[in-house]
Amino acid sequence: MTTTRTRWTIAAAAGTAVAAVVGFVAATTRDDAPDTVTFAVFAAMTLPFAVALVAIGLDRTEHPEQAEESIESQWTTRASSGAFYDTIVAMGVTVFVASVLDWNALPLWIFVLLGLADMSARLVILQRREG
Amino acid sequence: MHNRLRVLREEAGLSQSECADALGVSRQTVISIEKGHFDPRLSLAFRIGRLFDVAVDEVFTPED
């Protein structure tokens, strides 16, 4: 099993490499800003998520409980399925409104934020109601 | 499902944390089972039965 320090060191190195690759690809394909700016923005935005993903992937800590037998797992499942339903409905309504009002561009990132916020709110409510 | 987890746990003199550790689940899971908010899977139900040395149907009974 890797130590915590080793795991985060590997995660930082691998995450930086991934962020650099994403930044490089963005800089070579996009032409809406100077390459250095595009590289810096995309690499910086990618870095924390890449580091976190690698760190999670390297975590081999043995957790005492079996996830599917925990109430926390059930809360997560219920919150995510509810948020998914809400997001689909919101997207459907927005597409309808956009077609009526002849909007050309739909900001999809809003639905990502909506879904995450919805799931977080549902988790908090479930924990307070049943916890 | 009705369950007698709280009664069995208290008879055995276990705290919720000790019971959770013995079953390999979180304390929150034990609390939720005792409140009737969470029906555990069969494998956990059998572990509960083994922990208190009773049959599963002495812990869990269906609501009629």
Side-chain angles (χ1 to χ4, degrees), chain A residues 64-66 68-72 74-75 129-131, chain B residues 24-26 28-29 32 35 37-38 41 43-44 47:
Chain A
E65 64 184 282
Q66 298 178 36
E68 71 275 12
E69 293 181 343
S70 71
I71 187 65
E72 291 87 350
Q74 195 188 72
W75 285 338
R129 188 190 297 159
E130 300 183 4
Chain B
V25 297
S26 67
Q28 197 61 58
T29 297
S32 296
K35 285 182 176 177
H37 291 153
F38 179 51
R41 289 162 64 96
S43 56
L44 178 54
R47 290 213 301 278

Side-chain angles (χ1 to χ4, degrees), chain A residues 28-108:
Chain A
T28 53
T29 55
R30 298 176 65 95
D31 55 6
D32 48 358
D35 286 351
T36 51
V37 174
T38 304
F39 176 86
V41 168
F42 276 82
M45 295 303 289
T46 305
L47 183 62
F49 299 101
V51 171
L53 281 175
V54 176
I56 291 169
L58 292 174
D59 183 10
R60 289 292 176 264
T61 306
E62 291 184 10
H63 300 287
E65 64 184 282
Q66 298 178 36
E68 71 275 12
E69 293 181 343
S70 71
I71 187 65
E72 291 87 350
S73 167
Q74 195 188 72
W75 285 338
T76 304
T77 303
R78 288 161 61 189
S80 58
S81 62
F84 177 75
Y85 177 80
D86 290 345
T87 305
I88 293 294
V89 170
M91 291 181 87
V93 170
T94 306
V95 166
F96 172 75
V97 171
S99 67
V100 171
L101 299 179
D102 196 25
W103 291 346
N104 289 324
L106 286 176
L108 288 177

Side-chain angles (χ1 to χ4, degrees), chain A residues 79-80 83-84 86-87 109-121:
Chain A
S80 58
F84 177 75
D86 290 345
T87 305
W109 58 269
I110 286 178
F111 296 104
V112 175
L113 292 182
L114 174 71
L116 291 172
D118 191 345
M119 184 178 164
S120 301

